[in-house]
Amino acid sequence: EVIVSEENLSKAIGRRGQNVRLASKLINFEIDILTEKEESEKRQLEFKDKTEIFVKSLEVDETLGQLLVAEGFSSIKEIDQSTEDQISKIEGIDENTAKELKERAKEYLIKEQENIEKKLKDLGVEDDLIKHKGLTPGMLLTLGVKKIKTLNDFAELSTDELVGGYDEKKGVRFKIDGYLEEFALTKSEADELIINARNIVFK
């Protein structure tokens, strides 16, 4: 992502988008160019989304949700992993509220884990894939939906199938969508996951 001022926008994009195309080709990534106004709107939207997660999942009011996001918390897991002292140091949160937040976060995560286990079972995802080091519950659910259900299925994937990439046909460059593209895995992380799976399956 690149942030530029309004007046530099056309310069950054270049004639017919050539600067962006060249840069994205060199680093093999899609580049988003945002104006400062768009960046500000994006940040506001992210703040709102994170606040809503806390309001909905921890059943707190919006003010408390906003306070947690403003202090840098972005997930229920982060609250669970923080100490009561760390949370109660936030101005406006006392010890009792911190204790309650920790308890609610733990309850939510246990419930979420149970739901994920049930969904994976319903999708037919097998234990050997579930236990594969480096795959998160979200990744496993996505793979299950895409009919990747065993470690063997996973070991047969290519890196591009996992994280996405680009190919060229008749001089036209096109995008290959990866099964786990939304999880922002790097190519080297994807390589490691696949190689480790192959070492187990094809040993």
Side-chain angles (χ1 to χ4, degrees), residues 5-23:
S5 63
E6 292 278 354
E7 59 267 27
N8 286 327
L9 183 62
S10 61
K11 211 182 285 179
I13 292 170
R15 195 160 52 89
R16 296 201 303 277
Q18 64 191 12
N19 289 353
V20 179
R21 277 204 302 275
L22 176 63

Side-chain angles (χ1 to χ4, degrees), residues 3 6 8 14 20 34 50 68 79-80 109 134 143 146 150 154 157-158 167 176 199-200 203:
I3 315 303
E6 292 278 354
N8 286 327
V20 179
L34 301 180
K50 286 174 188 173
L68 290 167
I79 290 173
D80 181 57
L109 291 171
L143 290 168
K146 305 280 188 186
T150 68
F154 187 80
L157 295 175
S158 70
D167 207 347
I176 300 165
N199 287 341
I200 297 164
K203 63 181 177 184

Side-chain angles (χ1 to χ4, degrees), residues 2 6-7 10 20 25 36 64-65 81 85 98 100 104 110 126 137-138 151 157 175 184-185 188 197:
V2 182
E6 292 278 354
E7 59 267 27
S10 61
V20 179
K25 206 166 189 175
E36 285 158 355
L64 182 48
Q81 288 172 343
D85 278 353
E100 182 66 24
R104 289 187 191 184
I110 290 167
E126 294 189 9
L151 196 61
L157 295 175
K175 178 92 177 60
L185 278 171
S188 60

Side-chain angles (χ1 to χ4, degrees), residues 29-132:
F29 273 105
E30 281 293 292
I31 295 176
D32 289 330
I33 291 197
L34 301 180
T35 63
E36 285 158 355
K37 182 172 176 252
E38 286 170 332
E39 167 66 4
S40 167
E41 285 166 0
K42 189 183 173 196
R43 291 278 165 261
Q44 284 171 8
L45 200 61
E46 281 173 4
F47 189 93
K48 187 168 171 280
D49 289 345
K50 286 174 188 173
T51 301
E52 277 174 14
I53 287 169
F54 291 136
V55 170
K56 194 177 162 191
S57 308
L58 300 180
E59 294 174 20
V60 297
D61 65 25
E62 196 175 13
T63 308
L64 182 48
Q66 287 173 343
L67 197 53
L68 290 167
V69 179
E71 286 296 323
F73 287 100
S74 59
S75 70
I76 312 289
K77 199 172 184 180
E78 284 174 14
I79 290 173
D80 181 57
Q81 288 172 343
S82 298
T83 64
E84 284 177 32
D85 278 353
Q86 285 170 325
I87 299 169
S88 61
K89 274 179 188 162
I90 299 170
E91 199 176 329
I93 296 182
D94 60 23
E95 285 173 23
N96 288 338
T97 308
K99 187 172 186 248
E100 182 66 24
L101 280 169
K102 287 266 299 169
E103 282 171 9
R104 289 187 191 184
K106 189 167 280 308
E107 278 170 27
Y108 174 84
L109 291 171
I110 290 167
K111 205 171 177 180
E112 187 188 43
Q113 182 62 32
E114 287 168 357
N115 287 340
I116 286 168
E117 282 169 10
K118 187 185 179 303
K119 281 178 188 169
L120 289 172
K121 197 177 175 186
D122 291 344
L123 284 165
V125 177
E126 294 189 9
D127 274 356
D128 60 355
L129 186 59
I130 291 170
K131 288 174 181 164
H132 190 51

Side-chain angles (χ1 to χ4, degrees), residues 126-193:
E126 294 189 9
D127 274 356
D128 60 355
L129 186 59
I130 291 170
K131 288 174 181 164
H132 190 51
K133 196 180 170 196
L135 291 176
T136 65
M139 289 176 189
L140 289 163
L141 285 171
T142 303
L143 290 168
V145 169
K146 305 280 188 186
K147 309 280 188 259
I148 310 294
K149 300 181 180 186
T150 68
L151 196 61
N152 200 90
D153 294 338
F154 187 80
E156 288 176 350
L157 295 175
S158 70
T159 306
D160 280 353
E161 283 179 296
L162 209 56
V163 296
Y166 292 89
D167 207 347
E168 210 166 287
K169 212 172 191 176
K170 293 178 181 172
V172 179
R173 199 159 174 260
F174 62 93
K175 178 92 177 60
I176 300 165
D177 292 329
Y179 292 136
L180 299 183
E181 196 165 342
E182 64 183 292
F183 297 94
L185 278 171
T186 64
K187 274 191 179 290
S188 60
E189 286 168 340
D191 280 340
E192 195 178 340
L193 283 169

